[in-house]
Amino acid sequence: MILVALLLAPLLASGLTALLRGRRAMEAIHLVSAAAMFALSIQLAAQVLREGGVSWGDGFLHADYFSALVALLNAFVYLVSAPYAVGYFRRDAADNAFEQNGEGPPAEKKLLQYYALAPLFGFSMFLVVFANNLGVMWVAVEGTTLASIFLVTFYGRPTSLEAAWKYAMIGSVGLSMALFGTILTYYSAHQALGVETLSGLNWSTLVHSAAQFDKNVMRLAFILVLLGYGTKAGLAPMHTWKPDAYGEAPVPAAVLMAAAMLNCAIYALARFYVLTLRCLGPDFPSQLLILFGMLSMAVAVPFILVQRSYRRLLAYSSIDHAGIMVLGLGFGGALGALGMLLHMTFHSVTKPLLFFCAGNAQQHLGTDSLRKNSGGLIHSLPVSAPMFLLATLAVTGTPPFSLFQSEFTILRAGFAGRHTVPAILFVVFLVAIFCGFFFHVAQLVLGPANGLPRGEDSRWKSYPVLALAFVVIVLGFWLPAPLFALVEGAARVFEVQL
Amino acid sequence: MSEQAIALLVQLGLLLLLAPFITGFSKTCKARLQTRRGPGLLQSYRDLHKLLRKGMVIPDTASWIFPATPYVLFVTTLLAGLMIPTVSAQAPLSWAGGVLAVVYLLALGRFFLALAGLDAGSSFGGLGSSREMTIAAIAEPALMLAVFTVALGAGSTNLSTVAEFALGQSWRFLAPSQMLAFAALFIVLIAETGRIPVDNPATHLELTMIHEAMILEYSGPYLALIEWSASIKQLVLMTLLVNVFFPFGLSTDWSALPLASSFALFVVKLLLLAGVVVLVETTNAKLRLFRVPELLAVAFVLSALALISMFIF
Amino acid sequence: MFFWQDPQFGDKMITLMAALILVLQIMMVAQHWLVTIIRVFAVQSFLLACIAATIAYFNNAPHIYAAAALTLLLKAIILPVVLTRLLVKVDIRREVEPFINMPISIIISGMLTLMAYVVAESFQRPDELAGPASLGHNTLAVAISLFLIGFFMMTNRRKALTQVLALLSLENGIFLAAISLTYGMPLVVEIGIFFDLLIAILVLAILVYRIRATFDSTDVSRLSRLRG
């Protein structure tokens, strides 16, 4: 029942928003629905911790530890992006940022576009984690893509259209490959189970008999699924849409894409990984995952070092983190999956902070270029700028922040699984990314004052930054026991029964 | 006289006499479709008769190739025609060669024609020759692959064997490999006989000519021989298409009665095919020269697919 | 029984239709006029629906009939109409020369078909008896080749609308693969997929219209301002 409630809440919010069009009403609905979704997902997590799993509709919707964790993280990201969106769009409306060459739609229409699409995006992302049927999961992932395309074209600039087209095309091709992989999985299960009903594609049914699947077909299926959902996650070499899309979308939408949609893509990939693990053993899938993880990190390094825009910098950081998560999955063993899940958790908390600070900086400076600014942002943005620096340290895995712990866990998993060369390369890439990232942000933030007026104009934009910064710092030292129990339960999903 | 000699003479007569009729029929059909009256079914014969009696003008700069080409073309086309089953599954010269021989004989004729176009010393001749060779370069592999597909099914490249094999199978043409090969051969037919959309046989503009440009300098009996050879080549290719894919009613030997019915059916099938070609001609515009390789590439891929589909399906 | 109730006849018909689908896909690669590409796609989808309906007839499976009806309605009727209207609005009729020129791309499509055949070989089920249950299993090679050729077209063509049509033919290939391997997915999944497809095409159509309005052309090689 709670699963249905979590799915209905964003739909209701979207419908209500479309009906009542006043700005105040839309903002209020957005905030209330975000809070409601977060509360419901906490309740779901508690229920899953108590009972081990929640089902609805004869197994059509199913939430185990992994689903509950990802749902909680996504709801959290949605919650913190809500007040930020309010402030961000108010500032945009005041700046006439919706206009091009002096003409454009009224602010209300643009706001309607965001406040109506974002809950639909929320609905899709919840459906991804709750759908038991792999085909419905695919439909939901495609739903997140479709909901976010118009969020990327939000400002209507030529570059927005270019970014949206690339995103749409690459995303569609990737998802087609994932669909093909899903069909092949169904086929290999079909041969083993001979079941042709709806439950034939249910993950909870498939996972128990995965060892009997046709091995050749599962190999091909996993490759296709990795390519497909990897495109959504932004793994190299299918990552080319990410910098454009993250750079052009408004910051609240970019946050949803960078944290929530990334989680959904990794979630879908992980579900297929477990099936392949049970069928083929750990060697084949982990080789592929390590390859793509390494490739993503390797591609991110030069683009971070030589970067001209701080919005695109964040996108490459996202590509890098997707690579780290996939690497953790690939390293395998008891620590690998745990590391990946911890990383997902901490990343979902840290990334929004980074995006919010960058968004504040962009709205203040008017541009996202790193070259044209002479630094000294700390004097004009006394809240966002220092937090930007803090977030940079956090996201690149500096101790004592939480991401350091998850990356260290993944490193240990790498050495435990005797993947020495990838583990060493992992450290090298992390260091390189830290150098580049920190250099750029420090140059932007530190330095003498250069005469810009003070820019912390909105409480809606500053309070989420401060609250998130608080959470990030606290999480570095203390992980709440229930949350850790949830993470541990999720890691048990990845165990290979020997 | 032995059966062999009779067969030879009958097929020779058929090729020589039926070819201009098919050309005349095509022209009349096209005219009727364009709501004109057309030149009449026997006009080609009258044209050949007229040309054979006219005097010739030969360029000073021409070498021995110029007078040799009409004869070479005529002989090679006739030889190729004698290796294909027309009214009987046993072609008179089928012991001498099969598919490969037919293709190579036609290619030999085309080679000499191209040389003759260059030989006359006018730039239009060279233009025609180079265009003809471009088209042939892609059309020939398509032709070969398509015919190999059929030959593969029959287990031999001897066309008589292929026709006899096809006679024994009913509804065989529904198989994908056969349909694809037929489609590929149809496109090659259009390309090799110089019809719209590849080449306009009735054009007067030298810059749009392909086949006509090569024979621009010919006149009199030489021109008659070349025109006749072109008609015979068209008949040969059409016969290939018709008798290999739809060999209904083909008689298996050279006895009189089955021969008569086979001849009637053969003429009917030829006229039907000519009608389809004319329909394609009338409903399409001539392609720009640079687009012709695309059309032929489609034919090539279709014939390759025909070969592959023998193994897939 | 009548000859149309014989599974052998059904097999022959399905094989013929699959070959025609392959030929249509190659023709799509060779087209210059966008209207023709849309029409070729419509015919291809119609044949796909026919194949699904034939399999459903011989196996008495109502859910495959539903999938066939959905394909017919959505891909053979609604989508071509939507795309033709978009074409009129956008006022782009012809395709410009693709990145790899036409004859070579046609030959590359032929090679991709060969590759698809090789991949489909590994799915062979030699111990299968001929009968209603094995109908359509030999169309997997065609399905994979549709997928590969559609993918190739997407990367090779310059007009946005052609890329959309290439994507659609790619999806046709996936549908055919699903029919060939498992007689389709569970109906709920099929409906979800079709619904997604419809929304995706509407979204893409809006994008194409906006691209035309902004750039005054739908040539995607002009969308190259974002770098690094």
Side-chain angles (χ1 to χ4, degrees), chain A residues 91-92 95 97 157 310 358-369 372-373 377 381 452:
Chain A
R91 173 65 189 264
D92 260 353
D95 279 348
R157 297 189 286 251
Y310 54 83
N360 285 349
Q362 186 179 11
Q363 279 189 324
H364 183 61
L365 291 170
T367 166
D368 67 342
S369 163
K372 292 191 203 154
N373 292 310
L377 204 59
L381 287 178
L452 280 173

Side-chain angles (χ1 to χ4, degrees), chain A residues 282-305:
Chain A
D283 296 323
F284 176 73
S286 48
Q287 274 172 351
L288 279 178
L289 285 172
I290 293 176
L291 175 69
F292 277 95
M294 283 276 105
L295 199 58
S296 306
M297 292 185 74
V299 161
V301 166
F303 283 102
I304 287 183
L305 289 174

Side-chain angles (χ1 to χ4, degrees), chain B residues 174 176 179-180 291 294 301 313, chain C residues 15-16 19 23 32 102 106:
Chain B
L174 269 188
M179 302 218 72
L180 288 171
R291 300 275 179 235
E294 288 172 23
V301 170
F313 296 119
Chain C
T15 316
L16 189 60
V23 170
H32 289 276
M102 285 292 203
I106 297 173

